[in-house]
């Protein structure tokens, strides 16, 4: 199985020689672009009532049961906003081998109308405890900014899970 795919980086960026390296630039950037596109009404629908301080479906923290679906329905977003959500999903799925990634992205795209996006706390790039989530019938993606242990800045924790085809899943596909 390709998932779970746990990703993190501390710090979010660093310099090697004269090159700035941002390991999660595409994954984080596409997620932030999708959330930045929300209108005020969509933003209200997407905001979770509870605070979240780290990924919920990560190592040693989840029970194997995904939280209840919350947030704004992707089907209610404009066509351009839906493309941003799909680009965000694609940034995570592209870690898989090309044929597998294409197959999974096709599945997730076919389920886009039943997918939601949600956030907690804040949705700013450098906000402490910024929490972003995509939740579909199969796809689950989380990204959180959490307080760094080595720098005064925040850093990323992220996860991509497939709800029906996930190593160690309590509900693996047949």
């Amino acid at each position: 199985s390709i998932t779970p795919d746990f990703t993190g980086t501390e710090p979010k960026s660093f310099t090697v020689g004269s090159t700035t390296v941002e390991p999660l630039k595409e994954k984080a950037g596409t997620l932030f672009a999708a959330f930045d596109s929300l209108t005020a009404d969509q933003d209200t629908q997407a905001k979770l009532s509870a605070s979240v301080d780290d990924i919920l479906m990560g190592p040693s923290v989840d029970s194997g049961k995904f939280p209840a679906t919350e947030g704004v329905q992707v089907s209610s977003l404009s066509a351009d906003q839906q493309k941003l959500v799909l680009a965000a999903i694609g940034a995570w799925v592209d870690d898989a081998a090309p044929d597998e990634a294409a197959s999974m992205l096709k599945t997730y795209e076919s389920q886009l109308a039943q997918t939601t996006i949600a956030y907690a706390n804040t949705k700013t790039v450098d906000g402490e405890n910024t929490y972003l989530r995509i939740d579909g019938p199969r796809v689950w993606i989380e990204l959180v900014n959490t307080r760094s242990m080595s720098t005064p800045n925040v850093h990323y924790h992220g996860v991509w899970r497939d709800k029906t085809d996930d190593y160690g899943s309590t509900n693996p596909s047949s």
Side-chain angles (χ1 to χ4, degrees):
S1 176
I2 296 167
T3 68
D5 178 20
F6 303 108
T7 310
T9 184
E10 182 179 7
K12 291 192 313 185
S13 66
F14 52 91
T15 303
V16 177
S18 61
T19 303
T20 299
V21 179
E22 296 178 70
L24 294 179
K25 182 178 182 177
E26 183 180 9
K27 290 177 180 178
T30 55
L31 273 169
F32 282 110
F35 281 88
D36 288 346
S37 78
L38 297 178
T39 66
D41 183 52
Q42 292 166 341
D43 189 87
T44 299
Q45 294 173 54
K47 177 102 183 201
L48 299 172
S49 58
S51 180
V52 180
D53 64 0
D54 207 345
I55 56 175
L56 301 176
M57 296 303 294
S60 301
V61 296
D62 74 81
S63 66
K65 295 183 181 180
F66 290 85
T69 298
E70 298 179 79
V72 64
Q73 288 283 329
V74 174
S75 61
S76 72
L77 304 180
S78 72
D80 287 342
Q81 290 172 310
Q82 289 181 31
K83 287 178 187 174
L84 291 172
V85 173
L86 195 58
I89 293 169
W92 292 80
V93 173
D94 281 347
D95 278 351
D99 289 346
E100 186 68 23
S103 175
M104 294 191 89
L105 191 57
K106 184 177 178 182
T107 297
Y108 297 156
E109 184 174 13
S110 75
Q111 299 172 344
L112 205 56
Q114 295 87 39
T115 300
T116 63
I117 61 172
Y119 76 97
N121 313 319
T122 160
K123 57 180 183 150
T124 59
V125 171
D126 292 317
E128 185 169 351
N129 293 329
T130 288
Y131 174 83
L132 309 176
R133 173 167 78 204
I134 297 175
D135 179 10
R138 284 186 55 175
V139 68
W140 176 271
I141 295 171
E142 295 176 276
L143 182 74
V144 66
N145 286 347
T146 190
R147 178 56 50 205
S148 181
M149 297 298 182
S150 63
T151 72
N153 303 315
V154 294
H155 68 281
Y156 294 131
H157 289 177
V159 64
W160 161 40
R161 306 279 300 259
D162 185 290
K163 294 178 181 179
T164 62
D165 191 13
D166 198 23
Y167 174 76
S169 173
T170 57
N171 182 26
S173 62
S174 51

